[in-house]
Amino acid sequence: MTVDPPSFTDVVASGLLVDPTVIAGDPATARDITAVAVMMLPEIGPWLRPNQLLVTSTTVLARLAGTIGDFTARLGRNKIAGLVVRLEEGCELPGGIADDVAFPIVTTSDDIVAGHEFAQGLAEMAKTQVDSVLRADHLRRGLLEIVMAGGGYKALADGVAQSLGGAVLITTPDGRQTCRAGADADFCWLASTAALDSTGRVRTDALDGGLGLHRFDDEYVAIAAISANGIDHGRLVLFCPGRTLASEDLYLVEQAATVCALVVSRELAVSAVEEKHRANFVRDLLRGRGGDPEQVIVHAQMFGWNLDRNIVVVAVEPDVLDDDAPTAPARLPVLERQARAFVGAVAGRDPGAAVTALATEIVIVMGESSDTMTLVHELVAQVRGAGGGGRLPFGVGVSRAASSTADLPALYSQARTALEVGRKITGAWAVTHFDDLGVYRLLSLVEDTDELESFARETLKDLTDETAEAQDMRRTLEVLLATNINIAETARQLHFHYNTLRYRVAKLEKMLGPFTAHPELRLDLSLALKIIAMRGINS
């Protein structure tokens, strides 16, 4: 028989607490209590569960790293049933603790009553938390020695895996793997679970925000955020098939992630200076101020770039959208995140390519391949993932190939034209080669855009209206022109009856003129339709 969990009021009245006093919230509307938990240290996150009655003291609350408002808000997000605070001599309640809380807060004058039925397991939980602090201190010391010796992510991953006895992944905030440590069999197990998508990316969005303990059958994965200066830089993932991970393991992973953040801060300081020099050099190349091609090639080699070959320029620009919803911690700007994603994707396919984030775009100077567009599509697919690093859409333009760095300004102009026109024609996620633009290349050179739009409206007349009928008739006209006025083929493509299409042709000619008999008018209509597609008139 299933027993309903006790209410908050029943637990408080059960004799568990000494002199309980409600100072905030409404006990009558509180969640039923499924467990009582103790909070012996400020970093209580790994031990929080919904419907808990959390017991702590004023001494512990005084040691919180953040504000009391942030702490109670976090408890509310974790849907605890209530908070019990033991009042200790010489340590008062934090100011504002009772402000705008979503659960009852009760004070008590003494420890909870030992031996009470609701107090079972609390002593063991308290001991576990204290032991975790000691283990975390030992772990931090070992990892800090690695950092002080100049070790990076790979060395830290090895250290965490050895200390915690499992396999470790370090990823970007959106789950792309940057390094790993542990047994191959463990990674094979992880790949078989829903923790990874088909591209090998950790599903940081699908797994309850990506943080915490996640269960897959009888195994667990612990994931913590690597954040520095309030910015989210990635995830530290621990898994150990065959050993059950618990809250204390998540706590240790969170502490290890704080040391990983030191490596982030160190590398950011170094890369910021290097990136500034790289970006300035690329800007000069794209403006034709790079100097003699032989000197440019030598200078580029200092950055690890190979420009002594046939090269193409790829321009990548994020779509103008509102950035991500607020997160804790905040994330890097979209452009920088996508630039890092492209650096990782390009490194595995063309190590000598230059990838640089400029003010509003990412510019890639890479070698020409046997099928450059296939390679570009592979890069985009890797960055985008299964909805992935490219969760926020971007457009891509690809230039022709050239054999000299002196041609870079022209190649960049081609890539920008392909990007801008391709985005107008295709929309989000457009990947466009300059040679695929056709007549759009010529239309993009017309500076008087008002004249273009006027020509389109005068040529297509009522077909430029915003109505569904106008859009439907435009589609009919497009297919007619594409099939060179082949009525039967147009009817087949549009799934119309032959007579229905002949009626539509008569209606279009009455509106636009006898285009079936005049090639010049068909050319005007075709150009007008392309102007609408490119300029976004009524799109």
Side-chain angles (χ1 to χ4, degrees):
M1 186 177 80
T2 303
V3 178
D4 292 334
S7 69
F8 182 88
T9 302
D10 290 342
V11 173
V12 172
S14 67
L16 175 69
L17 308 177
V18 178
D19 299 327
T21 303
V22 178
I23 64 170
D26 183 3
T29 61
R31 296 172 176 272
D32 291 341
I33 295 174
T34 58
V36 179
V38 64
M39 174 179 167
M40 294 295 294
L41 66 161
E43 298 92 349
I44 190 61
W47 287 272
L48 287 177
R49 300 290 184 274
N51 299 85
Q52 280 179 332
L53 178 64
L54 186 62
V55 181
T56 189
S57 67
T58 50
T59 299
V60 175
L61 294 181
R63 295 170 179 164
L64 292 173
T67 67
I68 189 64
D70 291 341
F71 172 69
T72 55
R74 183 181 187 186
L75 297 185
R77 289 193 299 271
N78 281 272
K79 301 178 181 179
I80 70 163
L83 176 66
V84 175
V85 182
R86 177 165 56 87
L87 302 175
E88 296 177 306
E89 186 175 353
C91 191
E92 298 180 351
L93 281 168
I97 188 174
D99 295 345
D100 193 27
V101 291
F103 49 84
I105 299 179
V106 178
T107 60
T108 180
S109 58
D110 205 343
D111 289 327
I112 59 176
V113 176
H116 193 283
E117 60 175 320
F118 294 134
Q120 295 178 5
L122 293 188
E124 290 78 5
M125 181 180 290
K127 181 178 183 302
T128 297
Q129 292 182 14
V130 173
D131 289 345
S132 296
V133 171
L134 297 177
R135 288 188 63 194
D137 182 66
H138 179 74
L139 174 64
R140 279 194 299 267
R141 289 175 183 272
L143 297 180
L144 285 173
E145 289 182 4
I146 294 174
V147 175
M148 296 301 291
Y153 269 166
K154 184 61 174 73
L156 283 177
D158 291 336
V160 174
Q162 183 176 0
S163 298
L164 301 186
V168 169
L169 275 178
I170 294 180
T171 79
T172 60
D174 57 5
R176 284 177 289 105
Q177 299 182 27
T178 56
C179 68
R180 58 167 63 183
D184 290 339
D186 291 346
F187 289 104
C188 289
W189 168 82
L190 185 68
S192 70
T193 71
L196 303 186
D197 67 17
S198 59
T199 68
R201 184 193 304 269
V202 177
R203 297 181 185 272
T204 56
D205 282 355
L207 297 173
D208 300 327
L211 306 180
L213 275 175
H214 305 282
R215 182 173 180 174
F216 301 97
D217 295 327
D218 295 327
E219 308 292 352
Y220 288 83
V221 175
I223 305 178
I226 300 173
S227 61
N229 300 320
I231 300 295
D232 186 3
H233 291 281
R235 298 289 182 269
L236 180 62
V237 183
L238 172 71
F239 50 99
C240 184
R243 178 171 73 85
T244 300
L245 299 182
S247 300
E248 50 269 29
D249 294 295
L250 177 59
Y251 176 74
L252 293 172
V253 173
E254 290 181 346
Q255 301 309 302
T258 63
V259 180
C260 292
L262 296 177
V263 175
V264 171
S265 299
R266 182 185 68 195
E267 292 181 351
L268 285 177
V270 174
S271 66
V273 177
E274 293 178 345
E275 183 59 31
K276 181 178 180 180
H277 288 300
R278 288 193 291 265
N280 288 338
F281 178 52
V282 170
R283 286 192 187 93
D284 286 342
L285 292 179
L286 301 182
R287 294 170 181 169
R289 300 200 302 241
D292 181 78
E294 292 185 0
Q295 294 178 339
V296 168
I297 290 170
V298 172
H299 194 167
Q301 289 172 347
M302 297 171 57
F303 299 122
W305 301 341
N306 177 14
L307 303 186
D308 188 16
R309 52 180 173 165
N310 285 349
I311 52 177
V312 297
V313 171
V314 180
V316 182
E317 186 175 68
D319 286 2
V320 180
L321 297 171
D322 292 335
D323 202 351
D324 309 77
T327 58
R331 304 184 72 183
L332 289 169
V334 174
L335 183 71
E336 189 169 344
R337 299 203 309 266
Q338 291 182 347
R340 291 186 177 191
F342 272 103
V343 167
V346 172
R349 292 171 171 80
D350 186 353
V355 184
T356 310
L358 302 182
T360 60
E361 65 183 334
I362 301 158
V363 174
I364 304 172
V365 183
M366 58 192 293
E368 181 189 23
S369 69
S370 57
D371 191 346
T372 298
M373 286 305 293
T374 296
L375 176 58
V376 172
H377 280 290
E378 289 175 355
L379 296 175
V380 171
Q382 181 172 338
V383 171
R384 185 177 181 182
R391 271 175 282 275
L392 294 177
F394 51 82
V396 179
V398 184
S399 74
R400 292 170 171 168
S403 59
S404 172
T405 59
D407 296 320
L408 278 171
L411 298 184
Y412 173 65
S413 177
Q414 293 171 9
R416 284 298 312 179
T417 298
L419 188 157
E420 293 167 3
V421 177
R423 174 181 281 162
K424 291 174 182 176
I425 298 169
T426 310
W429 303 113
V431 180
T432 312
H433 194 284
F434 182 72
D435 283 340
D436 293 335
L437 295 179
V439 72
Y440 290 112
R441 284 170 48 198
L442 299 178
L443 293 176
S444 68
L445 297 176
V446 178
E447 296 182 359
D448 192 345
T449 57
D450 290 339
E451 182 60 31
L452 281 178
E453 294 185 12
S454 176
F455 171 80
R457 295 183 189 279
E458 290 173 3
T459 303
L460 294 173
K461 299 181 173 62
D462 292 345
L463 290 192
T464 60
D465 290 346
E466 299 181 16
T467 63
E469 180 183 5
Q471 293 176 357
D472 186 39
M473 294 298 285
R474 280 206 307 269
R475 173 60 180 159
T476 301
L477 179 61
E478 287 174 353
V479 179
L480 276 167
L481 294 173
T483 61
N484 198 25
I485 318 299
N486 186 322
I487 304 297
E489 176 61 19
T490 301
R492 187 190 66 80
Q493 290 189 25
L494 295 176
H495 306 290
F496 288 155
H497 189 276
Y498 184 85
N499 291 334
T500 299
L501 187 61
R502 291 195 65 84
Y503 167 78
R504 285 192 165 222
V505 171
K507 186 175 180 179
L508 285 169
E509 289 202 308
K510 183 177 180 181
M511 185 185 306
L512 305 173
F515 61 88
T516 59
H518 291 80
E520 296 83 0
L521 179 54
R522 292 202 295 272
L523 176 60
D524 288 348
L525 291 172
S526 181
L527 286 174
L529 288 171
K530 285 178 167 35
I531 291 170
I532 284 182
M534 188 179 74
R535 300 302 305 165
I537 301 174
N538 296 339
S539 60

